[in-house]
Protein backbone atom coordinates (compact mmCIF):
# COMPACT_ATOMS: atom_id res chain seq x y z
CA UNK A 1 0.00 0.00 0.00
CA UNK A 2 2.84 2.35 -0.79
CA UNK A 3 2.88 4.95 -3.51
CA UNK A 4 5.53 5.19 -6.24
CA UNK A 5 8.73 6.87 -5.09
CA UNK A 6 9.62 10.31 -6.40
CA UNK A 7 12.88 10.57 -8.37
CA UNK A 8 14.97 12.32 -5.73
CA UNK A 9 17.85 13.07 -8.07
CA UNK A 10 15.62 15.40 -10.04
CA UNK A 11 14.76 17.29 -6.86
CA UNK A 12 18.28 17.99 -5.62
CA UNK A 13 19.47 21.53 -6.45
CA UNK A 14 22.93 22.98 -6.13
CA UNK A 15 24.67 22.15 -2.88
CA UNK A 16 24.48 25.71 -1.63
CA UNK A 17 20.66 25.75 -1.56
CA UNK A 18 20.12 23.40 1.41
CA UNK A 19 22.84 25.22 3.33
CA UNK A 20 21.14 28.55 2.76
CA UNK A 21 17.72 27.15 3.65
CA UNK A 22 19.06 25.60 6.85
CA UNK A 23 20.62 28.90 7.84
CA UNK A 24 17.38 30.77 7.18
CA UNK A 25 15.42 28.23 9.21
CA UNK A 26 17.55 28.48 12.33
CA UNK A 27 16.00 31.66 13.78
CA UNK A 28 14.13 31.79 17.09
CA UNK A 29 10.98 33.50 15.81
CA UNK A 30 8.17 32.88 18.33
CA UNK A 31 5.77 32.11 15.46
CA UNK A 32 7.72 28.91 14.86
CA UNK A 33 7.15 27.55 18.35
CA UNK A 34 3.97 26.68 20.15
CA UNK A 35 4.02 29.88 22.17
CA UNK A 36 4.02 27.88 25.43
CA UNK A 37 7.73 27.10 25.77
CA UNK A 38 7.78 24.11 23.41
CA UNK A 39 10.82 23.74 21.12
CA UNK A 40 10.67 25.98 18.05
CA UNK A 41 10.06 24.24 14.72
CA UNK A 42 10.84 25.83 11.36
CA UNK A 43 10.11 24.40 7.92
CA UNK A 44 11.01 25.80 4.51
CA UNK A 45 8.18 27.98 3.19
CA UNK A 46 6.72 27.22 -0.23
CA UNK A 47 4.05 29.13 -2.14
CA UNK A 48 0.45 27.83 -2.05
CA UNK A 49 0.15 24.54 -3.92
CA UNK A 50 1.22 20.91 -3.64
CA UNK A 51 4.75 19.61 -4.10
CA UNK A 52 6.84 16.45 -4.22
CA UNK A 53 9.84 17.26 -2.03
CA UNK A 54 13.14 15.92 -0.76
CA UNK A 55 14.54 16.73 2.68
CA UNK A 56 17.24 15.66 5.10
CA UNK A 57 20.71 14.42 4.22
CA UNK A 58 21.63 15.19 0.60
CA UNK A 59 23.48 11.86 0.42
CA UNK A 60 20.42 9.92 1.60
CA UNK A 61 17.37 12.20 1.33
CA UNK A 62 13.82 11.46 2.39
CA UNK A 63 10.99 11.97 -0.08
CA UNK A 64 7.63 13.41 0.82
CA UNK A 65 4.80 15.74 -0.05
CA UNK A 66 4.18 19.34 0.98
CA UNK A 67 0.82 21.10 0.88
CA UNK A 68 0.44 24.87 1.25
CA UNK A 69 -2.71 27.00 1.50
CA UNK A 70 -3.18 30.72 0.94
CA UNK A 71 -4.22 31.21 4.60
CA UNK A 72 -0.77 30.12 5.82
CA UNK A 73 -1.70 26.51 6.62
CA UNK A 74 0.97 23.97 5.74
CA UNK A 75 1.41 20.18 5.86
CA UNK A 76 4.64 18.28 5.21
CA UNK A 77 4.64 14.46 5.22
CA UNK A 78 8.03 12.75 4.93
CA UNK A 79 8.05 9.06 4.04
CA UNK A 80 10.34 6.17 4.90
CA UNK A 81 11.83 3.81 2.31
CA UNK A 82 8.59 1.79 2.23
CA UNK A 83 6.49 4.85 1.39
CA UNK A 84 4.91 5.12 4.85
CA UNK A 85 4.82 8.41 6.74
CA UNK A 86 7.84 8.69 9.05
CA UNK A 87 7.29 12.30 10.14
CA UNK A 88 4.68 14.98 9.67
CA UNK A 89 4.83 18.71 10.24
CA UNK A 90 1.71 20.87 10.14
CA UNK A 91 0.68 24.44 10.73
CA UNK A 92 -2.83 25.83 11.04
CA UNK A 93 -3.06 29.27 9.46
CA UNK A 94 -0.12 31.39 10.59
CA UNK A 95 0.20 29.60 13.93
CA UNK A 96 3.10 27.50 15.17
CA UNK A 97 4.42 24.43 13.39
CA UNK A 98 3.66 21.12 15.10
CA UNK A 99 5.61 17.91 14.61
CA UNK A 100 4.76 14.22 14.88
CA UNK A 101 6.63 12.63 16.52
CA UNK A 102 6.84 15.64 18.84
CA UNK A 103 10.06 17.65 18.85
CA UNK A 104 12.13 17.67 22.06
CA UNK A 105 14.65 20.24 20.79
CA UNK A 106 14.51 23.14 18.34
CA UNK A 107 14.05 21.67 14.86
CA UNK A 108 14.69 23.13 11.41
CA UNK A 109 13.49 21.20 8.35
CA UNK A 110 15.20 22.42 5.18
CA UNK A 111 13.95 21.11 1.86
CA UNK A 112 16.59 19.97 -0.62
CA UNK A 113 14.25 20.46 -3.56
CA UNK A 114 10.61 20.61 -4.64
CA UNK A 115 8.55 19.89 -7.75
CA UNK A 116 4.99 21.20 -8.08
CA UNK A 117 2.32 18.52 -8.54
CA UNK A 118 -1.38 18.73 -9.36
CA UNK A 119 -3.22 20.64 -6.63
CA UNK A 120 -6.97 20.94 -6.24
CA UNK A 121 -9.56 21.74 -3.59
CA UNK A 122 -11.26 18.52 -2.53
CA UNK A 123 -14.99 18.09 -1.90
CA UNK A 124 -16.31 15.46 0.49
CA UNK A 125 -19.04 13.86 -1.64
CA UNK A 126 -16.76 12.18 -4.25
CA UNK A 127 -15.17 10.12 -1.46
CA UNK A 128 -18.43 8.45 -0.45
CA UNK A 129 -17.99 4.69 -0.65
CA UNK A 130 -16.63 1.57 1.04
CA UNK A 131 -12.94 1.18 1.87
CA UNK A 132 -10.36 -1.18 3.33
CA UNK A 133 -7.06 -0.35 5.02
CA UNK A 134 -4.31 -2.75 6.07
CA UNK A 135 -2.95 -2.26 9.58
CA UNK A 136 0.59 -2.72 10.86
CA UNK A 137 -0.22 -6.27 12.04
CA UNK A 138 -1.39 -7.08 8.47
CA UNK A 139 -5.06 -7.30 9.50
CA UNK A 140 -7.67 -5.34 7.55
CA UNK A 141 -10.13 -2.72 8.77
CA UNK A 142 -13.25 -1.95 6.75
CA UNK A 143 -15.13 1.34 6.84
CA UNK A 144 -17.31 3.57 4.71
CA UNK A 145 -17.59 7.29 4.10
CA UNK A 146 -21.00 8.80 3.41
CA UNK A 147 -21.79 11.91 1.38
CA UNK A 148 -21.85 14.04 4.54
CA UNK A 149 -18.30 12.98 5.42
CA UNK A 150 -19.13 10.59 8.26
CA UNK A 151 -16.73 7.66 8.64
CA UNK A 152 -18.72 4.56 9.59
CA UNK A 153 -17.04 1.40 10.90
CA UNK A 154 -17.41 -1.86 9.01
CA UNK A 155 -17.72 -5.39 10.35
CA UNK A 156 -14.03 -5.89 11.23
CA UNK A 157 -12.59 -6.04 14.74
CA UNK A 158 -10.73 -2.76 14.28
CA UNK A 159 -13.40 -0.07 14.07
CA UNK A 160 -12.65 3.26 12.42
CA UNK A 161 -15.14 6.11 12.84
CA UNK A 162 -14.97 9.87 12.54
CA UNK A 163 -15.51 12.70 10.11
CA UNK A 164 -13.91 14.31 7.08
CA UNK A 165 -14.58 17.93 6.10
CA UNK A 166 -13.30 20.48 3.58
CA UNK A 167 -9.81 21.84 4.24
CA UNK A 168 -7.86 24.91 3.15
CA UNK A 169 -4.92 22.75 2.08
CA UNK A 170 -5.01 21.40 -1.48
CA UNK A 171 -5.49 17.66 -2.04
CA UNK A 172 -6.69 17.18 1.54
CA UNK A 173 -9.76 16.96 3.75
CA UNK A 174 -9.69 17.60 7.49
CA UNK A 175 -9.91 14.34 9.42
CA UNK A 176 -11.19 13.57 12.91
CA UNK A 177 -10.50 9.87 13.49
CA UNK A 178 -11.59 7.57 16.33
CA UNK A 179 -10.56 3.94 16.66
CA UNK A 180 -11.59 0.97 18.80
CA UNK A 181 -10.00 -2.47 18.90
CA UNK A 182 -7.17 -1.32 16.65
CA UNK A 183 -4.09 -2.31 18.67
CA UNK A 184 -1.68 0.62 18.94
CA UNK A 185 -3.68 3.16 16.90
CA UNK A 186 -4.58 6.28 18.93
CA UNK A 187 -8.15 6.30 20.25
CA UNK A 188 -8.73 9.88 19.08
CA UNK A 189 -6.70 11.97 16.65
CA UNK A 190 -6.97 14.82 14.17
CA UNK A 191 -5.15 14.88 10.85
CA UNK A 192 -5.85 14.73 7.15
CA UNK A 193 -7.29 12.61 4.39
CA UNK A 194 -4.78 13.11 1.58
CA UNK A 195 -5.50 12.26 -2.06
CA UNK A 196 -2.79 12.82 -4.67
CA UNK A 197 -2.87 11.67 -8.29
CA UNK A 198 0.06 9.28 -7.70
CA UNK A 199 -1.70 7.42 -4.88
CA UNK A 200 -3.44 5.04 -7.30
CA UNK A 201 -4.50 2.31 -6.94
CA UNK A 202 -5.16 3.62 -3.40
CA UNK A 203 -8.01 6.12 -3.17
CA UNK A 204 -6.37 8.16 -0.40
CA UNK A 205 -4.30 7.96 2.76
CA UNK A 206 -5.35 8.87 6.31
CA UNK A 207 -2.48 10.59 8.13
CA UNK A 208 -2.69 11.48 11.83
CA UNK A 209 -0.12 11.85 14.64
CA UNK A 210 0.93 8.65 16.40
CA UNK A 211 3.10 7.72 19.38
CA UNK A 212 6.44 6.95 17.71
CA UNK A 213 5.53 7.87 14.11
CA UNK A 214 2.51 9.19 12.25
CA UNK A 215 -0.34 6.78 11.58
CA UNK A 216 -0.54 6.34 7.81
CA UNK A 217 -3.45 4.25 6.53
CA UNK A 218 -3.73 3.72 2.76
CA UNK A 219 -7.38 3.23 1.81
CA UNK A 220 -8.55 1.16 -1.16
CA UNK A 221 -12.09 1.12 -2.54
CA UNK A 222 -14.02 -2.09 -1.96
Amino acid sequence: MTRPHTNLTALLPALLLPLLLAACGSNDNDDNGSGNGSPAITVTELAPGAYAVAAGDAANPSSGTYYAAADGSRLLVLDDSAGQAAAMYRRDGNGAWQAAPGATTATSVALLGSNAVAATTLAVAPFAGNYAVRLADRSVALFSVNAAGDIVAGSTGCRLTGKVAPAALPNTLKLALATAGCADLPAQSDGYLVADADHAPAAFRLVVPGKAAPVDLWAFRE
Side-chain angles (χ1 to χ4, degrees), residues 21-35:
L21 291 174
C24 293
S26 62
N27 66 73
D28 293 325
N29 190 323
D30 287 342
D31 289 342
N32 297 316
S34 66

Side-chain angles (χ1 to χ4, degrees), residues 97 112 149 170 187:
W97 281 94
L112 301 177

